[in-house]
Amino acid sequence: FAFLKYIEIFQLKSEQKNFLFLMLTFYFAAPFALTRPMFESVAAPWLTLAAVFSLAYDVSAKLKDLLWGVFFVSVSFVLRQQLGFCALVFIILPTLKKRWAHLCWAGALGLSFFVLAGIPDYFIRGKFHFSLLNLTIYNFEHGSDYGDRTVLFYPTLIFIIILAPFFIKKYPPGFFKEQLGRHKSLLLIVLLFVFLHSLFPQKWERFIILLIPVL
């Protein structure tokens, strides 16, 4: 659905659609090549949907696309709480466009979903967002128990397993500038993801499963 939505946004031609679905085929094979796919493989489609709707909003500036994006990233947050940081893209985009009413709507909806996500913990464990607090504290205090890798680990891994093949081809002048401008919302999500995950000492390659369809 996310890939079909992407095709709709940019009105891709037949050969472009075929190439896109070829990449989608490789995505489904990817978890078998990476270690211990767990919450990542469940949350990845929801982050992808959020990313595509961030693109849709960047192109159309329609409030509906922005709110759908907030909904999908909220679902991904419930499945894997670290992805809540990627929700900042739906604050950044309306700010860049100076759509202050859209910013308020996105913030209000996101805050509402955040409150709803914390209520079960209150009744089950006696504290609002108990799981999120414990996850954060545990990762900072015990993350190094699982290894301590350089902050360059994720950028290097992303380049090697996902981006490197695309540099085999020779591209026309201005190609990368045009693509980065068109897909800046996707780039923001990748940067937010890499920044947060680089704060913790333990860095596992399976986390990148979440970014494969986005990249």
Side-chain angles (χ1 to χ4, degrees):
F1 179 80
F3 277 58
L4 288 170
K5 181 67 178 176
Y6 180 89
I7 290 166
E8 177 190 316
I9 294 168
F10 292 115
Q11 300 178 337
L12 299 186
K13 298 175 183 177
S14 178
E15 61 271 19
Q16 293 172 314
K17 286 193 284 187
N18 292 338
F19 184 71
L20 191 65
F21 282 116
L22 179 64
M23 290 200 296
L24 178 63
T25 304
F26 281 110
Y27 161 64
F28 279 114
F32 295 99
L34 299 169
T35 62
R36 298 175 62 208
M38 299 192 299
F39 299 106
E40 290 75 23
S41 55
V42 181
W46 299 97
L47 181 64
T48 309
L49 281 168
V52 171
F53 275 90
S54 75
L55 268 179
Y57 177 74
D58 197 29
V59 171
S60 68
K62 291 180 180 177
L63 178 61
K64 178 180 71 173
D65 292 328
L66 181 69
L67 297 183
W68 273 116
V70 172
F71 169 74
F72 288 127
V73 81
S74 298
V75 175
S76 72
F77 164 74
V78 171
L79 294 168
R80 191 174 186 277
Q81 290 157 325
Q82 293 93 328
L83 295 180
F85 197 69
C86 295
L88 288 176
V89 70
F90 297 107
I91 298 299
I92 295 171
L93 288 176
T95 301
L96 291 175
K97 293 179 180 295
K98 298 182 179 179
R99 299 291 183 99
W100 308 120
H102 288 190
L103 176 64
C104 292
W105 274 104
L109 185 62
L111 184 61
S112 300
F113 285 136
F114 179 78
V115 171
L116 285 173
I119 290 174
D121 265 353
Y122 180 79
F123 287 102
I124 296 170
R125 299 184 175 93
K127 187 181 288 186
F128 182 70
H129 271 300
F130 178 90
S131 302
L132 177 61
L133 291 169
N134 269 27
L135 175 71
T136 305
I137 293 169
Y138 184 84
N139 276 334
F140 272 112
E141 290 182 351
H142 300 282
S144 58
D145 296 346
Y146 301 93
D148 190 356
R149 286 172 165 165
T150 171
V151 293
L152 298 176
F153 176 76
Y154 286 124
T156 305
L157 183 63
I158 288 171
F159 181 80
I160 291 173
I161 70 171
I162 297 173
L163 298 181
F166 292 95
F167 287 90
I168 295 171
K169 180 178 172 62
K170 185 177 181 181
Y171 296 99
F175 174 82
F176 287 105
K177 184 178 180 181
E178 178 190 346
Q179 292 303 315
L180 290 176
R182 175 186 280 193
H183 297 96
K184 68 174 177 289
S185 64
L186 300 189
L187 182 63
L188 281 170
I189 288 174
V190 172
L191 290 175
L192 288 168
F193 181 96
V194 171
F195 173 75
L196 178 67
H197 284 73
S198 294
L199 294 178
F200 301 102
Q202 80 278 22
K203 298 174 181 68
W204 293 323
E205 61 272 22
R206 66 180 170 87
F207 294 163
I208 297 299
I209 290 174
L210 289 155
L211 288 184
I212 289 174
V214 177
L215 288 160

